[in-house]
Structure formats: C-alpha cells, structure tokens
Amino acid sequence: AQSVAQPEDQVNVAEGNPLTVKCTYSVSGNPYLFWYVQYPNRGLQFLLKYITGDNLVKGSYGFEAEFNKSQTSFHLKKPSALVSDSALYFCAVTREGQGAQKLVFGQGTRLTINP
Amino acid sequence: GAVVSQHPSRVICKSGTSVKIECRSLDFQATTMFWYRQFPKQSLMLMATSNEGSKATYEQGVEKDKFLINHASLTLSTLTVTSAHPEDSSFYICSARARPEAFFGQGTRLTVV
C-alpha cells in the first residue's frame, strides 16, 4: 500500500526567501510522485510530477522538487517565495503501472509567505 | 492540458432534499473518476471511484446509498447526495487521470440548512 507524509502542517517563509515543503512517501515498486496546490474554495492544481529521469523536476510558477530515492523524499522547493504562493500544498503518490488508480495524498501543508 | 469541469461550484439546499453534482472531463475521456470530500483545514478523503459503465467502488465507511454515483459516459460522472443533512455540508471535489497525473474539478461547496 502507498502512503505519503507531509510532516509540517504549516510553513511560514518571508517573501524573497527560499521555501521548502517536505514530503516523504512509501510505495512498493517505482513511484509516480506529484505536487498539487489548492487555493481557498478551489480544486487542486497540478504543479509538477516525477515519473522517471532527472531527480530534479521543474514545474509551474517556478516550483521544483527533488526526488531522493534513498530517503524516499520528494520535497517541493522554490528559490524565492512570493506572497501569492501562500496556499495549501499536497504531495501525492501512486505506483508505476497503475494507470487509472487513485493517487494517495498527504495531509497537506499550509504555506504562508509573509510580506 | 486536461480540463475537468465540476458543477455547481456552490449549492445550498434544505435538509432532506437531494443534490446532484456533475463532473465532466472536457478534452479527454475518463473511464475512471474519483470523488473526494474535504473538511475544513483537512486533506482530501477519497469517497469512491467512479467506473464508466459499472458500479462505483466506495471506500470503507462511505454510505453508497447516501452518495449515489453514476458514470454513464466517458466524460461525465455524477455524485448525488441523497436526503442531505447538515453534517453532509462539505467541499466535494472530483478528479480524473489523464497521463500519469490527475486533474481536478474546481470543487463544490455544499451547505445543507
């Protein structure tokens, strides 16, 4: 069975500083990993994914994430935070080959960027 | 990119009535769609997996007679909350997978009064 942990319920960062939102996962086989962002009263928006290839993946709005197989982590990062990055972020995992199967989500991390 | 449209975005209904929420994949076909419920400041709770042309698969603890799911075509799944009560008030979100990633509807805020 797959699982995802986001150890921080809340992350606060000053505008212009780098940000990191942590995610660790557990899955048998090769993982497919995703990050989503949710703004208030909206659905989830896809940010980026890791399927295979380079461990550092780049996504929307300047976000990137690094896949670390040995640490089973997929932390989300951004070099310089914007106030508009404030939102709820979800990490998700599924297993390679599960074409139409559900994603398993972490509990979410609320990111607040302070002006 | 793939677009999932969910309607309505907001609905208020009286206790005891039923509410239907639609989820459409606009530019791709989805044999499988997923329905989630989200409580304030909480993560997504998967309610059920909607399968085109067959019965939905419900997660443990979700009442299938309460939350009726119909997936009659490759682009449309509906969730009907029957005999709604105030405790059913929540944010409901649908999704479908296109390529490896999933795409989400904009969500439906249901308030039962």
Side-chain angles (χ1 to χ4, degrees):
Chain A
Q2 295 101 270
S3 66
V4 176
Q6 293 179 241
E8 303 156 316
D9 290 337
Q10 176 109 15
V11 171
N12 295 300
V13 176
E15 186 178 24
N17 283 2
L19 69 87
T20 299
V21 183
K22 296 180 180 178
C23 171
T24 59
Y25 67 91
S26 174
V27 66
S28 58
N30 293 323
Y32 287 176
L33 293 155
F34 309 88
W35 275 101
Y36 289 85
V37 60
Q38 184 182 31
Y39 295 99
N41 293 309
R42 302 297 299 273
L44 276 64
Q45 294 179 31
F46 170 74
L47 277 180
L48 51 79
K49 66 185 177 190
Y50 172 82
I51 303 300
T52 187
D54 289 341
N55 289 342
L56 184 65
V57 294
K58 295 185 183 297
S60 306
Y61 312 118
F63 284 94
E64 57 189 31
E66 186 168 10
F67 171 64
N68 188 316
K69 189 172 183 178
S70 63
Q71 296 186 4
T72 61
S73 67
F74 190 56
H75 301 332
L76 181 71
K77 299 181 180 183
K78 187 172 182 179
S80 179
L82 300 173
V83 173
S84 57
D85 294 328
S86 299
L88 188 57
Y89 290 80
F90 290 99
C91 181
V93 69
T94 191
R95 185 163 53 87
E96 178 185 21
Q98 292 189 309
Q101 295 304 306
K102 61 187 179 185
L103 300 186
V104 175
F105 286 88
Q107 62 269 43
T109 298
R110 185 161 300 280
L111 176 65
T112 302
I113 308 301
N114 302 304
Chain B
V3 178
V4 175
S5 177
Q6 187 174 341
H7 178 80
S9 58
R10 187 181 298 269
V11 59
I12 300 173
C13 71
K14 291 184 178 180
S15 187
T17 62
S18 296
V19 173
K20 180 184 285 188
I21 303 169
E22 292 187 347
C23 180
R24 296 181 184 272
S25 56
L26 296 186
D27 50 2
F28 67 102
Q29 293 182 333
T31 56
T32 304
M33 292 186 177
F34 305 92
W35 286 96
Y36 295 86
R37 183 173 179 176
Q38 187 178 30
F39 293 98
K41 299 184 179 181
Q42 293 191 24
S43 186
L44 302 170
M45 183 192 80
L46 179 65
M47 299 174 65
T49 302
S50 170
N51 304 299
E52 188 269 334
S54 65
K55 291 182 179 180
T57 304
Y58 289 83
E59 296 297 304
Q60 191 172 9
V62 178
E63 300 175 60
K64 62 180 180 181
D65 295 329
K66 172 77 170 175
F67 299 100
L68 299 179
I69 290 173
N70 183 274
H71 196 154
S73 78
L74 288 171
T75 59
L76 174 63
S77 174
T78 61
L79 169 68
T80 301
V81 182
T82 63
S83 186
H85 291 284
E87 56 265 30
D88 298 324
S89 299
S90 193
F91 193 60
Y92 294 88
I93 310 174
C94 69
S95 81
R97 289 187 69 183
R99 305 186 287 276
E101 59 265 37
F103 293 88
F104 288 79
Q106 55 267 57
T108 298
R109 171 72 59 192
L110 171 64
T111 303
V112 184
V113 297

